[in-house]
Amino acid sequence: ANLVRLHTPPTNNSSPTSFLVRNRATMDQPVKLAKVNRVLGRTGNTGNVTQVRVEFMDAEGGMGGRSIVRNVKGPVREGDILCLLEWEREARRLR
């Protein structure tokens, strides 16, 4: 979501190239670090999203105490550190 793919048309002797440029709007936003405490299960139509319980970390790297459930796309396991751009919203529980 925070990357924009740009495509340059081919010139005489070059092949088409594409490159990624970071969206400046997302680079200036604050982030929160959260540690994965527990993997709750898979969700989504094809099971490609993992639901995890995370606990927020404070500025010194310790645990802040507050924990929420989040959905994560891609590989994740207990002990991983997530960089959250949005941390107010909690995911709905699996049924």
Side-chain angles (χ1 to χ4, degrees), residues 8 10 12 14-15 19 23 28 30 39 42 59-62 65 70 74 76 84:
T8 57
N12 289 341
S14 67
S15 61
F19 51 95
N23 187 352
D28 299 334
V39 176
R42 308 287 284 193
E60 293 83 34
R70 292 299 300 249
V76 65
L84 302 177

Side-chain angles (χ1 to χ4, degrees), residues 6 10 17 19 30 52 61 66 68 76 82 84 89-91:
L6 300 176
T17 58
F19 51 95
V52 297
R66 183 169 167 239
I68 62 171
V76 65
L82 302 180
L84 302 177
R89 217 170 33 188
E90 188 165 356

Side-chain angles (χ1 to χ4, degrees), residues 32-39 50 52-57 63 72-84:
K32 283 229 180 183
L33 298 179
K35 183 175 182 179
V36 176
N37 285 344
R38 191 170 2 135
V39 176
T50 308
V52 297
R53 176 166 294 282
V54 299
E55 187 173 352
F56 291 111
M57 301 174 73
M63 302 313 277
V72 179
K73 189 170 174 115
V76 65
R77 60 184 173 196
E78 288 184 21
D80 284 353
I81 306 292
L82 302 180
C83 183
L84 302 177

Side-chain angles (χ1 to χ4, degrees), residues 38-53 69-72 90-95:
R38 191 170 2 135
V39 176
L40 301 175
R42 308 287 284 193
T43 185
N45 282 343
T46 58
N48 59 350
V49 176
T50 308
Q51 200 163 68
V52 297
R53 176 166 294 282
V69 174
R70 292 299 300 249
N71 291 332
V72 179
E90 188 165 356
R92 283 189 267 159
R93 303 285 195 276
L94 288 171
R95 289 181 228 184

